[in-house]
Amino acid sequence: MLTVHHIGNLVEDIDTSLETYKLIFGDNCASDKIYVSSQGVYVCFVNIGKGILMELVQPVDENSVVFKMRKKGVSYYHIAYTTNTFDKTSEFLESCNFKTMNTFYSEAFDNKRCQFMCSPEGNLIELIEI
C-alpha cells in the first residue's frame, strides 16, 4: 500500500541549503522551489541518489505549520509515502493507532491529497495520493 517517496528536512533557507547539495549531487539535482499555501512553506526536492528524494522545507513566516519546529532546531522530521489507496491506507494506519493530523491538497504534487499522521511512537509520516 505504501511506497517511499521522500524524507522531509526543515531548513532556514532552501537556496542556501541547495548550495551544499549541488556540490555533492550536481547542479541538476533539485526541483524548482514550490510554494505550498496550505502549509505556509516553500519546498524543493533534491535527488540524493537512486531515485531517493529529500524534501527541503522552508517556513515562509511564523504562521507556518513548521515554524516552531524549525526554531527548536528540528531538521529531519518526516518520511513521505505514496499510495494509490489513500482512504484505505489512512483507515488502516488509524486502526494501527496512527493519529491523523491534517489533510490538505499540495501544489508540490499537482494538488493531490496529502495527509500527515503520527505513529504511536511519535514519528511523523506523510501520505501522498497517486
Side-chain angles (χ1 to χ4, degrees):
M1 287 194 306
L2 299 171
T3 302
V4 174
H5 184 270
H6 69 263
I7 301 163
N9 185 20
L10 295 174
V11 298
E12 288 291 328
D13 181 73
I14 286 175
D15 295 324
T16 301
S17 296
L18 278 177
E19 290 175 20
T20 301
Y21 288 109
K22 286 182 178 182
L23 287 173
I24 299 168
F25 300 110
D27 286 338
N28 297 320
C29 69
S31 72
D32 291 333
K33 197 166 29 173
I34 303 162
Y35 178 63
V36 180
S37 59
S38 63
Q39 304 297 297
V41 297
Y42 285 105
V43 301
C44 174
F45 294 93
V46 179
N47 186 338
I48 58 175
K50 296 187 180 185
I52 299 170
L53 299 175
M54 177 179 288
E55 178 187 37
L56 303 179
V57 181
Q58 174 188 325
V60 172
D61 57 31
E62 62 271 357
N63 296 317
S64 168
V65 296
V66 295
F67 179 81
K68 289 180 183 176
M69 290 173 65
R70 182 64 200 136
K71 285 300 173 196
K72 290 180 180 178
V74 174
S75 58
Y76 293 104
Y77 82 103
H78 76 271
I79 297 180
Y81 300 91
T82 57
T83 178
N84 59 2
T85 58
F86 189 89
D87 293 322
K88 184 177 178 180
T89 301
S90 179
E91 289 170 12
F92 172 73
L93 291 172
E94 285 177 348
S95 76
C96 295
N97 296 317
F98 279 69
K99 303 289 185 235
T100 300
M101 298 181 69
N102 64 334
T103 302
F104 59 99
Y105 293 85
S106 177
E107 293 89 340
F109 306 108
D110 296 322
N111 289 311
K112 293 199 174 151
R113 194 166 39 154
C114 298
Q115 181 178 67
F116 280 101
M117 301 183 85
C118 189
S119 76
E121 295 80 20
N123 299 311
L124 192 61
I125 68 164
E126 179 182 14
L127 297 180
I128 304 164
E129 185 172 40
I130 56 171

